[in-house]
Amino acid sequence: MFTVDKTIEVNTGAQPELSRSDVWRGLVMKGENALPFVPVMEACDVTERGSDKGTDWLIRAIRIAGNTMHERVTFRPEHTVEFERLDGIERGTILNEILEPDGGLALRFTFTLSREDMADGSDEESAYADSMEETYLKAVQSTIDTIRRLKTDGALPAA
């Protein structure tokens, strides 16, 4: 199992400036349909929805690099969206967290995953994690850029 943790400031001079609520609404959209947010994703279809003790969730089928996986997406309003890989070649959890360090606004992604075709802690797994770090960083930036574009285009849902 490997972990990659990336945090990016949301408002670094780009316009329009995004609020916590803007970022949250964008993350909910990403949970529903990640295709506009994650360039490497080939398919994303919601198959089930529910709520546990007031926490909404959904199950979705996704395809990346020809590999189909199912994810349970759990929404913790205005704070975290958790993507739990339930099956497929890569399992584990991806967290998208909205942070407000020092009065700013940041988006943190934590990828804690394992590959079924690699031994935990192996050199092969470490090399894979290192090779994926740039891809994960691009996914974080792509998410912020897409939310900003949606706000500019008036396509971000109202609060």
Side-chain angles (χ1 to χ4, degrees):
M1 182 168 284
F2 62 91
T3 298
V4 176
D5 190 321
K6 294 292 171 192
T7 302
I8 294 184
E9 292 293 322
V10 171
N11 295 310
T12 56
Q15 293 298 317
E17 189 167 293
L18 299 175
S19 68
R20 182 184 196 101
S21 181
D22 293 334
V23 173
W24 173 251
R25 291 189 320 268
L27 291 179
V28 170
M29 290 178 72
K30 180 182 173 192
E32 295 278 342
N33 177 17
L35 296 178
F37 298 87
V38 183
V40 299
M41 193 171 291
E42 300 157 357
C44 181
D45 299 297
V46 174
T47 60
E48 186 179 345
R49 295 176 186 279
S51 183
D52 291 329
K53 300 176 187 168
T55 300
D56 293 334
W57 56 268
L58 60 84
I59 304 290
R60 66 186 195 178
I62 63 169
R63 189 174 63 247
I64 299 173
N67 294 305
T68 298
M69 299 168 264
H70 291 85
E71 291 181 325
R72 179 185 172 103
V73 182
T74 304
F75 301 96
R76 294 181 183 87
E78 298 284 329
H79 186 265
T80 305
V81 179
E82 179 180 328
F83 303 84
E84 179 187 1
R85 297 265 171 92
L86 303 174
D87 59 18
I89 194 168
E90 202 170 72
R91 294 190 186 199
T93 304
I94 300 169
L95 292 177
N96 293 190
E97 298 176 87
I98 303 170
L99 306 174
E100 293 184 286
D102 302 321
L105 185 63
L107 189 55
R108 177 182 182 187
F109 280 40
T110 305
F111 300 83
T112 305
L113 302 168
S114 64
R115 298 264 312 193
E116 70 177 18
D117 58 346
M118 297 177 190
D120 281 347
S122 67
D123 290 343
E124 179 184 29
E125 183 185 63
S126 293
Y128 175 77
D130 291 344
S131 75
M132 292 305 294
E133 193 164 342
E134 185 175 334
T135 300
Y136 296 147
L137 182 58
K138 286 179 183 176
V140 178
Q141 189 61 57
S142 174
T143 295
I144 294 168
D145 293 346
T146 300
I147 295 169
R148 184 166 279 111
R149 186 178 66 253
L150 289 166
K151 183 172 181 173
T152 298
D153 294 347
L156 198 59

